[in-house]
Amino acid sequence: KQWYQRRVAITAGVFTLYKRDGRTSTFLKCFDALAFLPEDLVEPGFEALMRANPRPNDNRLANFCKYKEVNYIGDRCVVRRGNMRLRLTNRRAPRFPISSLNQYTRTLLRMARTNNVCEGYHSSLRQLCRQKPNVFMATDSVRREIRRFNKMIRRSVL
């Protein structure tokens, strides 16, 4: 929760809205939920979220939504002819492709959705090696870790 609040606070002064208004807080949290939709439903989900905006006239919230759209969904291209704005066409490619952030399949397969596994492994390696090991201590620690890992593999296979 604190991590999300800090992230929201950075963007366009939305933090006060997040803290004070429950509807706006829920609305902002829904942006992260888009990652758990199937990839082909992320854009329609975003459009539905835009229609549910609890403060459509608030510039701070509009800036936040535009940031999310440009970076994660892809903003709409506008066709112009002279001074006339004709229509919105397909979306441009977002800065971060939807497939790179989508967690739908990983969730269904019960795979890790974060890098917590890597962080935990790194922490256990640091404990094995102490704070500042010399080359021999580090080599010995890595060998012990390899033996432990091989035992885990043998147990899971049998």
Side-chain angles (χ1 to χ4, degrees), residues 91-109:
R91 293 185 177 276
R92 293 185 184 110
R95 179 178 293 171
F96 306 103
I98 291 173
S99 60
S100 69
L101 301 170
N102 195 275
Q103 300 295 314
Y104 177 74
T105 305
R106 295 185 70 80
T107 303
L108 288 180
L109 297 175

Side-chain angles (χ1 to χ4, degrees), residues 121 124-131 133-155:
Y121 185 72
S124 69
L125 276 181
R126 279 198 342 243
Q127 288 175 0
L128 276 175
C129 293
R130 300 184 189 152
Q131 287 185 351
N134 61 34
V135 174
F136 300 108
M137 293 170 73
T139 305
D140 186 48
S141 295
V142 169
R143 284 185 183 146
R144 276 187 279 146
E145 180 62 16
I146 290 171
R147 281 194 299 271
R148 187 181 74 79
F149 185 72
N150 287 336
K151 284 180 186 176
M152 282 179 14
I153 290 175
R154 278 189 227 115
R155 280 187 221 141

Side-chain angles (χ1 to χ4, degrees), residues 16-57:
T16 55
L17 293 174
Y18 178 82
K19 290 294 279 182
R20 292 183 183 160
D21 183 11
R23 288 180 56 216
T24 303
S25 174
T26 302
F27 173 75
L28 292 171
K29 290 176 186 176
C30 286
F31 282 96
D32 287 339
L34 291 173
F36 296 96
L37 291 175
E39 286 184 38
D40 58 331
L41 295 180
V42 171
E43 184 180 335
F46 177 80
E47 297 293 339
L49 195 54
M50 291 299 92
R51 287 190 299 275
N53 185 345
R55 295 171 171 258
N57 299 324

